[in-house]
Amino acid sequence: MDSQTGELLSWILTQDFAPKGTAGAFQEYDNKYVNVKKGSLAGLSTVLAAYKLFNYCHSYKEFKHKWPRKYH
Amino acid sequence: MNENLFASFITPMILGLPLVTLIVLFPSLLFPTSNRLVNNRFVSLQQWMLQLVSKQMMSIHNPKGQTWTLMLMSLILFIGSTNLLGLLPHSFTPTTQLSMNLGMAIPLWAGAVITGFRNKTKTSLAHFLPQGTPTPLIPMLVIIETISLFIQPMALAVRLTANITAGHLLIHLIGGATLALMSISATTALITFIILILLTILEFAVAMIQAYVFTLLVSLYLHDNT
C-alpha cells in the first residue's frame, strides 16, 4: 500500500462499494498477486489469513472468557 | 462446557443479518476464471486438477449422463473447498448444517431418479427386484428395495454432516484436553498433542474424501438411471 495507515480511513471511503466496484477490487488483487508469471503461495495465503482474521474477530466474544486465567 | 462445545456450529449472524451467505460464497473467490490459453500457475493447477477429477469420474457414463459433468464438478469443488476452509481456526463450515446438505442431496438424487423413471421406466422399476429372488420373497424384497431407494438422499446428507461435525468436535475436545493436561503432566500432554496432529491430518483427508464420496454416489445414482 502506498498510503500511510493514518490515511487508511479516507482511502477506504474512496472505494466503490457497489457490486461492480467490489468485483473491480478483486480483479485488482488478482492481477497484482495471483495472475502474474511467478505467482506463488503468498497470494493465496494472504486471502486465507484475512479470512482467518475475520473469523477470529467475529468469534472473539465467545472465547474471550476461555483464556487461561487464574480467576474465570 | 456443553454449550461451548457446540458454539462453533451456530449459524453466524452479524447484527441480525446472515453472515452465512458471505461465508458460503467465499470459496468461489478461490477459483478464478481465466480466458487465456496459457494461464497463471494458480489457474493452471486448478484446471489440471479439475481435468483429472472429471476424467476419472465421468468416464463411466454414456453421453446422456455426461451432460451432468458441470453439476458434479461444481459439487465436488464446492464441498471440497468448503470442508477444507472449515479446518481453519474459528471458521464456520456450512456443510456441518444438515439443512444445507439436505438441500444438496435431495434435488440431485431426485433429479437422477426422476430422469430414470421418465426415460427408462421399465429398467428403473426393475431395479426394485434383484435378479434371481425366490418367488415367495418378492413382496418383502420390493418393500425393502423401495425403502433403500428413499433412504439414499437422507444417507447422503447425514453422512456428510455427521463426518464433518464429528471431526470438528473431536478436534475441539482433544485440543481442550491437551490444554488442560499441560499443567498436570507434560508427557501426557505431548501424547495428546501428537494425537491432535494425527487427527488434523485425518481431517484434511476426510474433508476431501467426503466431497469425493458425495459426488461419486450421486454419479452412481445417475449411472443407474441414464
Side-chain angles (χ1 to χ4, degrees):
Chain A
M1 296 286 187
D2 296 323
S3 61
Q4 313 278 343
T5 319
E7 300 167 0
L8 188 62
L9 185 60
S10 46
W11 173 81
I12 286 181
L13 291 175
T14 64
Q15 297 304 302
D16 182 12
F17 280 115
K20 183 165 177 251
T22 328
F26 293 142
Q27 273 282 6
E28 232 176 74
Y29 183 87
D30 197 34
N31 287 336
K32 192 160 182 202
Y33 294 108
V34 176
N35 203 358
V36 289
K37 203 164 177 185
K38 286 190 161 190
S40 67
L41 194 57
L44 175 66
S45 318
T46 316
V47 176
L48 291 180
Y51 180 65
K52 237 170 86 165
L53 190 66
F54 174 73
N55 282 317
Y56 181 89
C57 298
H58 184 72
S59 350
Y60 182 72
K61 258 195 328 189
E62 271 112 51
F63 60 80
K64 198 170 61 167
H65 59 86
K66 281 198 228 171
W67 278 347
R69 267 194 261 186
K70 196 170 172 192
Y71 301 111
H72 263 238
Chain B
M1 187 188 109
N2 291 330
E3 193 249 31
N4 291 333
L5 198 55
F6 289 102
S8 57
F9 298 117
I10 302 175
T11 324
M13 305 275 258
I14 192 165
L15 305 173
L17 290 171
L19 189 61
V20 61
T21 324
L22 287 176
I23 294 183
V24 170
L25 291 174
F26 177 68
S28 64
L29 275 183
L30 302 173
F31 294 104
T33 53
S34 176
N35 295 325
R36 295 170 175 239
L37 187 61
V38 178
N39 295 310
N40 54 16
R41 287 177 182 179
F42 192 47
V43 173
S44 310
L45 204 67
Q46 284 174 357
Q47 283 176 347
W48 166 79
M49 199 178 52
L50 200 58
Q51 211 181 12
L52 190 73
V53 173
S54 60
K55 271 191 191 162
Q56 210 260 325
M57 206 169 278
M58 303 310 291
S59 51
I60 53 173
H61 291 131
N62 54 6
K64 191 160 176 13
Q66 279 173 358
T67 52
W68 278 54
T69 309
L70 179 62
M71 181 74 233
L72 292 178
M73 288 306 115
S74 330
L75 189 67
I76 192 172
L77 276 184
F78 176 67
I79 301 182
S81 60
T82 324
N83 290 346
L84 283 172
L85 279 176
L87 289 170
L88 292 172
H90 302 303
S91 52
F92 172 71
T93 322
T95 38
T96 52
Q97 310 297 313
L98 185 63
S99 51
M100 164 152 169
N101 294 334
L102 278 174
M104 285 196 292
I106 292 184
L108 289 169
W109 166 85
V113 167
I114 292 178
T115 315
F117 270 113
R118 283 180 66 185
N119 300 331
K120 286 181 161 188
T121 320
K122 256 198 293 189
T123 325
S124 303
L125 283 174
H127 278 134
F128 282 132
L129 192 62
Q131 267 183 337
T133 43
T135 324
L137 280 179
I138 289 182
M140 199 181 66
L141 211 55
V142 170
I143 295 176
I144 291 177
E145 289 287 329
T146 317
I147 295 176
S148 97
L149 180 74
F150 281 100
I151 234 176
Q152 281 173 351
M154 302 297 146
L156 269 178
V158 172
R159 179 186 303 115
L160 185 57
T161 315
N163 269 300
I164 307 296
T165 316
H168 285 335
L169 272 177
L170 268 177
I171 289 181
H172 276 263
L173 280 171
I174 295 191
T178 316
L179 267 180
L181 279 175
M182 257 196 319
S183 49
I184 299 177
S185 148
T187 327
T188 327
L190 190 66
I191 296 175
T192 325
F193 186 64
I194 292 175
I195 296 179
L196 187 63
I197 292 179
L198 291 174
L199 197 59
T200 313
I201 295 174
L202 176 67
E203 279 314 302
F204 273 98
V206 166
M208 293 185 284
I209 289 171
Q210 285 304 315
Y212 174 68
V213 165
F214 196 99
T215 316
L216 186 69
L217 283 173
V218 172
S219 128
L220 274 174
Y221 301 152
L222 185 66
H223 186 62
D224 278 341
N225 287 311
T226 45

